[in-house]
């Protein structure tokens, strides 16, 4: 379905981003991976994707907290592959604290990586996509892009901003062959969430499995974690012809979290 297309997925050396990248490669897209990690591990992921799916996969370690680096990521992909069809803005970080105690450097870092990076990437990618008369911009927001939780001021603000940015870009590119949408996951069992489960288990003095169930019960009515394959499949759908007229919207993949 995506053979001949080129996709950038930010924050794709692990977790949600890597799951999405693998799904796009499975459908034939060439990839630019991005993210932090140990050099050998990243190379193993990159070369493994090439071998398994018969696509070209490159890696760019651009720092998503730096706007010029983000724009350089886009320019580098276009220079290397001659085109850019899909941009998945997935990179993100988290920190929790009451608003009056929230460290200013943490606030600044979360806004830069979770929101501003998407702005810079979109601004750099849209001209190329318009020229091709086809493009898919997919912002990985969160259930926290639609509702709030305590102690997550920066994350919730950034993700709400990302949903708003999605709507603006959807309007500005309407009719051009370019679409822009947000995907809003609930709890996904990523390394970040595993740490939250471990902390909760220690705090409550329960097993990790009991802590996981408690975490789900608080927010996610399905009582099931969202699978990486489900998120990858949602992104793939938004890249399909069936989604040509879906733009400027936010799709919840959250087991009913935001339906409450």
């Amino acid at each position: 379905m995506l053979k001949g297309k080129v996709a950038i997925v930010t924050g794709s050396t692990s977790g949600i981003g890597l799951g999405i990248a693998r799904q796009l490669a499975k459908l034939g897209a060439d990839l630019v991976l991005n993210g932090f990690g140990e050099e050998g591990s990243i190379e193993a992921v990159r070369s493994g994707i090439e071998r398994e799916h018969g696509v070209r996969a490159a890696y760019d370690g651009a720092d998503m907290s730096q706007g010029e680096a983000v724009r350089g990521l886009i320019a580098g992909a276009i220079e290397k592959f001659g085109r850019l069809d899909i941009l998945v803005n997935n990179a993100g970080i988290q920190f929790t604290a009451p608003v009056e105690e929230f460290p200013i450097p943490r606030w600044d870092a979360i806004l830069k990586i979770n929101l501003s990076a998407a702005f810079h990437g979109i601004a750099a990618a849209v001209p190329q996509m318009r020229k091709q008369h086809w493009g898919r911009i997919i912002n990985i927001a969160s259930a926290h892009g639609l509702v709030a939780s305590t102690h997550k001021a920066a994350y919730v603000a950034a993700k709400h901003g990302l949903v708003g940015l999605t709507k603006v870009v959807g309007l500005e590119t309407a009719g051009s062959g370019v679409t822009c949408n947000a995907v809003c996951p609930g709890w996904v069992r990523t390394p970040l969430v595993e740490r939250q489960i471990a902390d909760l288990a220690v705090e409550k003095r329960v097993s990790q499995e009991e802590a996981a169930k408690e975490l789900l019960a608080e927010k996610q009515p399905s009582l099931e974690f969202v699978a990486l394959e489900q998120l990858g499949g949602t992104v793939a759908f938004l890249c399909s012809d069936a989604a040509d007229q879906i733009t400027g919207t936010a799709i919840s993949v959250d087991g009913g979290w935001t339906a409450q």
Side-chain angles (χ1 to χ4, degrees):
M1 186 177 79
L2 297 178
K3 190 169 180 60
K5 305 291 188 187
V6 174
I8 296 174
V9 185
T10 68
S12 54
T13 51
S14 65
I16 289 172
L18 180 55
I20 291 169
R22 283 179 165 148
Q23 180 64 29
L24 296 179
K26 182 179 178 181
L27 296 173
D30 295 321
L31 290 175
V32 178
L33 303 171
N34 160 266
F36 296 122
E38 195 273 323
E39 184 178 342
S41 297
I42 292 172
E43 174 55 25
V45 168
R46 187 204 65 77
S47 59
I49 287 173
E50 285 194 331
R51 283 195 309 273
E52 184 175 355
H53 301 293
V55 299
R56 296 176 292 171
Y59 168 73
D60 189 319
D63 182 350
M64 293 292 103
S65 70
Q66 304 300 315
E68 287 305 312
V70 178
R71 291 174 184 259
L73 168 68
I74 304 299
I78 294 169
E79 181 177 356
K80 181 176 181 63
F81 292 107
R83 60 185 300 118
L84 175 61
D85 303 282
I86 300 163
L87 172 61
V88 182
N89 291 305
N90 168 74
I93 58 172
Q94 173 66 292
F95 184 81
T96 60
V99 68
E100 70 272 20
E101 300 171 13
F102 213 95
I104 293 172
R106 293 285 192 172
W107 170 275
D108 290 342
I110 289 171
L111 269 289
K112 283 180 180 179
I113 293 173
N114 294 24
L115 178 57
S116 294
F119 159 72
H120 288 292
I122 290 167
V126 162
Q128 176 68 28
M129 292 179 173
R130 284 187 188 276
K131 187 165 67 174
Q132 296 168 181
H133 306 291
W134 197 94
R136 295 289 186 267
I137 299 165
I138 299 159
N139 299 317
I140 306 304
S142 168
H144 283 118
L146 303 171
V147 295
S149 291
T150 57
H151 297 173
K152 296 182 179 180
Y155 190 82
V156 170
K159 294 300 187 179
H160 271 67
L162 191 57
V163 170
L165 176 63
T166 298
K167 293 178 180 181
V168 171
V169 176
L171 289 174
E172 291 186 0
T173 57
S176 69
V178 180
T179 66
C180 182
N181 292 288
V183 175
C184 298
W187 289 121
V188 184
R189 203 150 187 171
T190 61
L192 179 66
V193 172
E194 289 291 357
R195 287 195 292 274
Q196 291 182 252
I197 292 169
D199 290 344
L200 185 62
V202 171
E203 178 188 341
K204 300 286 187 178
R205 297 183 178 181
V206 297
S207 70
Q208 294 225 2
E209 204 50 45
E210 288 174 309
K213 288 178 181 177
E214 185 170 334
L215 193 74
L216 287 169
E218 182 186 354
K219 302 283 188 182
Q220 203 144 301
S222 69
L223 301 181
E224 296 176 344
F225 287 98
V226 178
L228 294 178
E229 294 78 8
Q230 292 165 341
L231 289 178
T234 303
V235 170
F237 166 70
L238 289 172
C239 293
S240 72
D241 292 344
D244 279 351
Q245 293 301 314
I246 300 175
T247 195
T249 193
I251 297 178
S252 295
V253 187
D254 64 7
W257 181 334
T258 54
Q260 300 181 84

